[in-house]
Amino acid sequence: MNPSSSSPPAFAPEAEFARALDERDPLARFREHFHIPRSADGREQIYFSGNSLGLQPLTVHGLVEQELKTWAEKAVAGHFEAATPWYNYHRSLTEPLAAIAGARPSEVVAMNSLTVNLHLMLVSFYRPTRERHRILMEDCAFPSDTYAVKSQISFHGFDPAGSHRVATPRLGEETLRAEDLVQLLDEEGEKIALVLLGGVNYFTGQAFDLQGITEAAHRQGCLVGFDLAHAIGNIPLSLHDWGVDFAVWCSYKYLNAGPGAVGGCFVHERHANNPALPRFSGWWGNDPATRFQMHLLPEFAPSPGAEGWQLSNPPILSMAPLRSSLELFQAAGFQALHEKSRLLTGYLEYLLRRIPAGAYRTITPGDPAQRGCQLSVSTKVSPRALLQALQNQGIVADFREPDVLRFAPVPLYNRFEEVWRLGQALHEAAATS
Ligand SMILES: Cc1ncc(COP(=O)(O)O)c(C=O)c1O
């Protein structure tokens, strides 16, 4: 079963088949590196909400504990004398993050949280003019992005009603067609200052053709940024080679770094060393060589690369968990994870298709290249009752209005048998509703 081959894999609906896949799974052992939450009866939950909050790697506790100990024992000296000195702690994340983002190390930095980073990027990359002031987003973008974008448009003295352009799917369709986005760019590109899309849409699970969109947008002179909250650690990314201008992400979903964990940011190197770009500055973005020359009149001298957009000294306790998770990504290898991901999600899709028509409709694209691990399923069964029925069986998923349940089988810790159990539970719920 080769997920990258053109023919779809041959699945079977029996539990034995799912168990056999687990037995043959070269990544199965990675599940043992995570805490699996348990239900009230003590059994391990079947957790499909890694698209909301990833599970905790076992080594997180030790890494956070280590920093607490250093703080207790060394206090301020920890900045330079900790095992990983706090002064440059963020750099311990750079290489593995760059690998996952398909970036050069100088193009990425772990900092702040997603919406903060988005604002910082908009300050630098949204430079509206009377002729070119629109920001193009996808329909159903994550609300925080829309709030950020509209507030930036207003901040620049434009009216969001005229400058916030939303690309909508065709009538009767749930997801955007790549050719429609390209056509929109061809027709309206000269009025669009910035294209800002979710790499994977949080609601539909649709993964966009980030390379194609970047090329089409650049042909029209637009800049391009992506919200990778649902993409990073989920789908393969080559931000540098695709020429993306900037990207932002959070680390609490597929990067398993814990609630509110430090976010991340990518700035393409062609911008990253351009001191003429406007930016909101802070001392941590200043060149480390002169950062502490406080006796001189401080004139901001940005660090080269994405680090130049940092504002504050890094939150060590929030960064430590990310190190744990990135080590697991490195050990597993992203290509192998992606191949398993396609199989896991393909299997769920297969099982959903076997349920008699009418109860469920998968709105995530069927083409594996147009999705990550998440399937969003519109249901005729009362979604809240369904969610409850799943919960009663220890299955964790979530619900988004009006009728969509989201399931994200995550290759680092989910099993094929769990997907099979979900299929069974959905089947039973449809039969009894
Ligand atoms: C797609 C997307 N964008 C933005 C956000 C907001 O992230 P933050 O609260 O870290 O700013 C989220 C949060 O879940 C998200 O899913």
Side-chain angles (χ1 to χ4, degrees):
M1 251 186 282
N2 176 4
S4 55
S5 69
S6 50
S7 55
F11 291 123
E14 295 82 21
E16 294 69 39
F17 176 81
R19 286 186 201 119
L21 283 182
D22 283 323
E23 271 159 35
R24 292 211 311 261
D25 173 12
L27 300 179
R29 68 190 172 87
F30 281 91
R31 176 183 173 86
E32 291 157 23
H33 292 272
F34 288 88
H35 289 282
I36 309 294
R38 291 180 184 271
S39 298
D41 62 7
R43 279 191 300 174
E44 282 184 347
Q45 289 179 346
I46 297 179
Y47 191 79
F48 290 121
S49 284
N51 56 342
S52 245
L53 184 71
L55 294 183
Q56 184 186 131
L58 296 187
T59 54
V60 163
H61 207 273
L63 279 181
V64 174
E65 188 67 40
Q66 184 182 336
E67 301 314 326
L68 289 172
K69 193 162 175 286
T70 305
W71 177 23
E73 292 174 358
K74 295 189 193 284
V76 72
H79 284 299
F80 295 99
E81 293 175 15
T84 306
W86 298 336
Y87 189 70
N88 277 328
Y89 198 93
H90 58 284
R91 291 215 168 131
S92 66
L93 305 167
T94 301
E95 296 257 352
L97 275 179
I100 290 179
R104 302 204 163 148
S106 67
E107 294 175 317
V108 302
V109 63
M111 63 180 191
N112 309 315
S113 47
L114 191 156
T115 310
V116 173
N117 289 337
L118 179 56
H119 272 296
L120 293 178
M121 292 296 101
L122 290 172
V123 164
S124 294
F125 295 106
Y126 179 52
R127 310 294 303 151
T129 63
R130 271 167 56 105
E131 296 71 35
R132 199 189 267 276
H133 51 84
R134 290 188 182 162
I135 298 183
L136 175 66
M137 296 177 75
E138 85 265 36
D139 190 36
C140 223
F142 194 79
S144 195
D145 294 13
T146 304
Y147 304 151
V149 158
K150 287 188 173 176
S151 66
Q152 289 271 344
I153 290 171
S154 303
F155 177 76
H156 283 280
F158 290 86
D159 181 358
S163 301
H164 178 232
R165 175 73 165 94
V166 176
T168 43
R170 293 184 188 183
L171 207 62
E173 297 186 6
E174 235 97 24
T175 51
L176 278 165
R177 294 193 191 199
E179 67 265 29
D180 291 356
L181 262 177
V182 172
Q183 192 185 337
L184 191 157
L185 281 166
D186 286 345
E187 286 168 9
E188 299 178 34
E190 59 189 26
K191 297 191 186 117
I192 294 171
L194 176 71
V195 177
L196 178 72
L197 299 178
V200 174
N201 181 271
Y202 83 100
F203 182 74
T204 64
Q206 179 180 22
F208 292 106
D209 169 11
L210 304 186
Q211 181 177 17
I213 289 163
T214 304
E215 285 167 7
H218 283 171
R219 275 199 301 275
Q220 302 299 327
C222 322
L223 292 174
V224 185
F226 295 119
D227 171 348
L228 300 179
H230 286 260
I232 194 139
N234 180 17
I235 60 169
L237 298 167
S238 296
L239 299 180
H240 175 84
D241 288 346
W242 296 338
V244 174
D245 294 290
F246 72 85
V248 293
W249 59 85
C250 55
S251 308
Y252 40 79
K253 299 178 188 293
Y254 299 109
L255 294 188
N256 310 305
V262 67
C265 191
F266 163 89
V267 180
H268 199 279
E269 70 178 2
R270 69 175 172 277
H271 303 300
N273 300 317
N274 175 5
L277 264 188
R279 73 177 90 186
F280 284 171
S281 309
W283 76 312
W284 222 255
N286 197 87
D287 187 346
T290 56
R291 189 179 286 149
F292 276 92
Q293 293 181 359
M294 292 156 174
H295 55 293
L296 305 172
L297 265 186
E299 215 31 76
F300 181 70
S303 290
E307 285 190 359
W309 271 264
Q310 294 172 107
L311 297 179
S312 304
N313 74 99
I316 304 303
L317 299 180
S318 143
M319 285 186 166
L322 183 52
R323 288 183 71 183
S324 299
S325 173
L326 291 175
E327 278 166 18
L328 293 175
F329 272 94
Q330 278 181 311
F334 196 81
Q335 182 57 31
L337 283 168
H338 184 57
E339 284 173 15
K340 177 176 172 185
S341 178
R342 283 196 167 190
L343 275 183
L344 267 177
T345 300
Y347 190 43
L348 176 56
E349 183 183 45
Y350 163 82
L351 294 172
L352 276 161
R353 283 215 187 110
R354 291 178 52 83
I355 299 174
Y360 308 112
R361 189 168 49 84
T362 303
I363 63 174
T364 307
D367 172 9
Q370 289 189 58
R371 67 185 185 206
C373 68
Q374 173 183 324
L375 288 188
S376 301
V377 178
S378 161
T379 170
K380 286 266 187 310
V381 183
S382 151
R384 289 191 193 280
L386 179 57
L387 206 59
Q388 190 56 54
L390 295 178
Q391 262 169 26
N392 295 344
Q393 300 188 46
I395 299 174
V396 182
D398 70 16
F399 161 61
R400 290 288 175 269
E401 295 284 359
D403 61 2
V404 168
L405 265 68
R406 304 187 306 168
F407 305 104
V410 171
L412 264 175
Y413 47 75
N414 280 122
R415 291 192 184 126
F416 290 91
E417 190 181 349
E418 293 180 305
V419 169
W420 178 82
R421 287 195 183 281
L422 172 61
Q424 286 293 106
L426 289 171
H427 209 298
E428 283 159 21
T432 54
S433 73

